[in-house]
Amino acid sequence: MPQQSNYLKETPSQTAGPYVHIGLAPGAAGFEIYDQELGQDIVGPNAKGERIRVEGLVIDGIGSPVKDVLLEVWQANADGIYPHPEHAGHETVETGFRGWGRVITDFETGEWAFDTVKPGALTGRNGQKMAPHINLWIVARGINVGLNTRLYFDDEAEANAADPVINLIEWEKRRKTLVAKRSERNGQIVYRFDICLQGDDETVFFDI
Amino acid sequence: MTKAPPKQGEFYQRDRRWHPPAYATDYKTSVARSPKLALISLENTPSEITGPRFGHSDITPIDNDLLSNYAQPDQSPIGERIIMHGRVLDENARPVPNTLVEIWQANASGRYRHKKDAYLGAIDPNFGGCGRTMTDENGYYYFRTVKPGAYPWRNWVNDWRPAHIHVSVFGSGFAQRLITQLYFEGDPLIKTCPIVATIPDPAAIDQLIARLDMNATIPLDTIAYKFDIVLRGRRSTLFENRLEGN
């Protein structure tokens, strides 16, 4: 018999189900229980950088909006620093900047949105510069393992063209699925980012 | 200033054959919600190695007690009183300290406190159905709650979910983010459930079944189930020029 390793196996994932809000956004489920729900303020009041709104839909393989999705957001600050002790410079991140948030879709329309600041570029592997991006994790009924993707910005064309992660996608026409479109509405900067789970314009998802 | 933690490397690759596939015909909703194209594999960058951090100021001590966190004064939810406890470990069997664990569940009737749940089972006025806690320095966590009831759902016409508690865990990096479900030892519905059956390996399903733990039971008060959670592990060394470059 071969020797045993002492490694454990990761706990397998299961769907978050349709009632994920009860645990992670109970106010949306219809009841108040916690003093503070986590994930509602991504950057805090002191964040440097350009204030932006990000919004979109998650669309299924039929072309219909998914109305029971929960997204989590993870991003660096405007200087490209994550508020995490393993990221060099983390002591400089503004007080109150969490970089993480939870977003749910409207039950009727499927629209979701969050307010944040535009993150800065940061250094990836081997000293390569990564274009500004927001990391997203998507869970819902019917999704067995949370889906990871990245949101990039269409006004960062030069940085995007050099981004080492975007360039890993061999099909150039798929790269645009990761790029949010900038517009201005009533003086506010809005980026539109629709996520297509399946089909012709399927969003690129990563095994991170 | 806090001391930097010891240098740790990249996360072990996730074993996608151990986890359920995206597309699982018998779990019908997955059919239109599963990507058809392959995932693009990424080597870790700071975006995956880092992740949100939480502290005791984010939660209150009562948040892990579902027997009282939504109950009227001097009242208690109806149902089997249980302790759910265990450790959060990584694949190297090291504890994951100070990480956020969140749970949600139906009440003893199988009814969720959610405006979209219209099941006939009664709402319990003293039960909310969610809780959260931080693991201690040894990765240990516990909750008090009631054992949830089985629950019918529109998949096949007579499908019933086994009694289950949804569990969400963070770890230290965004790549470790995990949501799963806890099932209870001996429940005959586990074998019939299309969501359980999305997991191909019976050994992986076993890892989701909490064991009755008489030694953690409080006599004449609350019975106990043990549920350990394993998050992705990390390599112990990292070549400086591979990841950081700053």
Side-chain angles (χ1 to χ4, degrees):
Chain A
M1 187 175 148
Q3 293 188 26
Q4 299 287 306
S5 79
N6 292 320
Y7 297 121
L8 304 175
K9 290 296 284 184
E10 188 186 9
T11 298
S13 174
Q14 291 269 264
T15 179
Y19 305 128
V20 60
H21 317 90
I22 294 175
L24 307 187
F31 66 112
E32 301 298 326
I33 185 165
Y34 294 141
D35 291 347
Q36 62 166 330
E37 283 194 18
L38 297 173
Q40 299 197 326
D41 186 357
I42 299 170
V43 298
N46 307 314
K48 298 176 274 193
E50 183 180 36
R51 295 269 164 179
I52 63 171
R53 183 174 184 84
V54 179
E55 61 183 29
L57 288 170
V58 176
I59 298 160
D60 70 13
I62 314 298
S64 302
V66 179
K67 299 175 181 175
D68 49 14
V69 76
L70 180 137
L71 298 95
E72 286 189 355
V73 175
W74 174 240
Q75 67 164 88
N77 74 358
D79 296 330
I81 310 286
Y82 286 104
H84 187 279
E86 292 182 59
H87 206 204
H90 67 93
E91 308 88 348
T92 66
V93 172
E94 307 90 307
T95 307
F97 184 97
R98 180 152 248 167
W100 171 79
R102 269 183 182 149
V103 186
I104 59 163
T105 48
D106 183 279
F107 291 141
E108 308 306 321
T109 65
E111 289 278 348
W112 52 266
F114 60 88
D115 295 311
T116 186
V117 296
K118 193 174 169 190
L122 63 146
T123 306
R125 302 176 67 84
N126 304 318
Q128 291 175 303
K129 209 74 172 166
M130 292 195 287
H133 65 276
I134 295 176
N135 309 286
L136 296 175
W137 187 66
I138 301 153
V139 295
R141 175 171 70 107
I143 296 177
N144 292 323
V145 185
L147 294 167
N148 288 95
T149 191
R150 287 185 175 196
L151 178 160
Y152 290 84
F153 301 90
D154 71 346
D155 54 327
E156 298 282 350
E158 198 178 324
N160 292 345
D163 182 85
V165 168
I166 290 179
N167 282 301
L168 274 178
I169 305 164
E170 65 173 292
W171 305 276
E172 280 184 42
K173 64 183 288 193
R174 296 201 70 200
R175 296 177 186 170
K176 68 176 190 299
T177 67
L178 301 183
V179 182
K181 291 186 179 55
R182 180 181 176 110
S183 66
E184 195 175 328
R185 187 197 306 142
N186 304 326
Q188 184 179 39
I189 302 301
V190 177
Y191 286 93
R192 181 80 192 178
F193 190 67
D194 289 332
I195 297 164
C196 185
L197 296 178
Q198 182 191 88
D200 289 343
D201 297 312
E202 188 172 303
T203 298
V204 170
F205 298 105
F206 295 108
D207 187 10
I208 66 170
Chain B
M1 218 178 105
T2 52
K3 201 172 153 222
K7 204 79 166 171
Q8 292 195 85
E10 304 182 29
F11 288 103
Y12 299 137
Q13 181 185 318
R14 190 163 254 168
D15 182 352
R16 297 270 174 183
R17 292 175 180 157
W18 181 255
H19 287 281
Y23 174 80
T25 42
D26 291 346
Y27 175 26
K28 295 181 181 180
T29 314
S30 77
V31 171
R33 294 186 175 189
S34 43
K36 283 204 174 107
L37 298 171
L39 302 178
I40 306 285
S41 292
L42 291 192
E43 295 167 285
N44 289 170
T45 75
S47 298
E48 291 79 38
I49 292 273
T50 61
R53 294 165 65 77
F54 302 93
H56 288 284
S57 60
D58 289 319
I59 61 176
T60 51
I62 197 184
D63 288 352
N64 71 343
D65 186 3
L66 286 70
L67 294 181
S68 66
N69 70 3
Y70 201 72
Q72 300 297 312
D74 303 320
Q75 295 197 36
S76 196
I78 290 171
E80 185 178 343
R81 295 161 60 84
I82 65 169
I83 290 164
M84 163 190 169
H85 78 122
R87 293 177 79 198
V88 180
L89 304 166
D90 70 13
E91 289 170 292
N92 299 315
R94 296 194 192 104
V96 180
N98 308 313
T99 201
L100 183 67
V101 181
E102 297 164 289
I103 65 169
W104 68 101
Q105 63 168 99
N107 68 21
S109 306
R111 175 73 182 267
Y112 284 98
R113 186 176 286 279
H114 191 291
K115 56 188 176 192
K116 294 286 180 188
D117 186 5
Y119 177 44
L120 301 169
I123 286 279
D124 184 332
N126 293 304
F127 190 70
C130 64
R132 56 190 185 181
T133 191
M134 304 279 298
T135 59
D136 70 11
E137 62 277 13
N138 300 310
Y140 183 76
Y141 76 90
Y142 71 95
F143 293 93
R144 286 204 315 168
T145 185
V146 295
K147 190 172 174 188
Y151 168 82
W153 59 301
R154 290 186 177 274
N155 189 60
W156 296 327
V157 80
N158 193 22
D159 269 345
W160 293 74
R161 296 302 324 282
H164 64 280
I165 298 176
H166 297 266
V167 183
S168 164
V169 202
F170 280 82
S172 62
F174 205 51
Q176 288 175 299
R177 194 74 183 84
L178 180 73
I179 283 181
T180 189
Q181 299 184 30
L182 168 161
Y183 304 102
F184 291 89
E185 181 176 7
D187 185 341
L189 286 171
I190 293 170
K191 279 203 275 297
T192 74
C193 177
I195 289 178
V196 174
T198 59
I199 299 172
D201 188 331
I205 292 173
D206 272 345
Q207 206 170 332
L208 297 184
I209 301 176
R211 305 293 162 181
L212 176 67
D213 183 357
M214 292 306 290
N215 287 3
T217 292
I218 302 171
L220 307 179
D221 183 327
T222 309
I223 201 162
Y225 284 87
K226 183 167 187 289
F227 187 68
D228 286 341
I229 300 161
V230 181
L231 301 181
R232 292 168 71 179
R234 298 176 70 167
R235 302 185 204 291
S236 54
T237 57
L238 181 66
F239 296 103
E240 291 290 332
N241 64 345
R242 299 276 297 169
L243 179 65
E244 275 199 319
N246 50 13

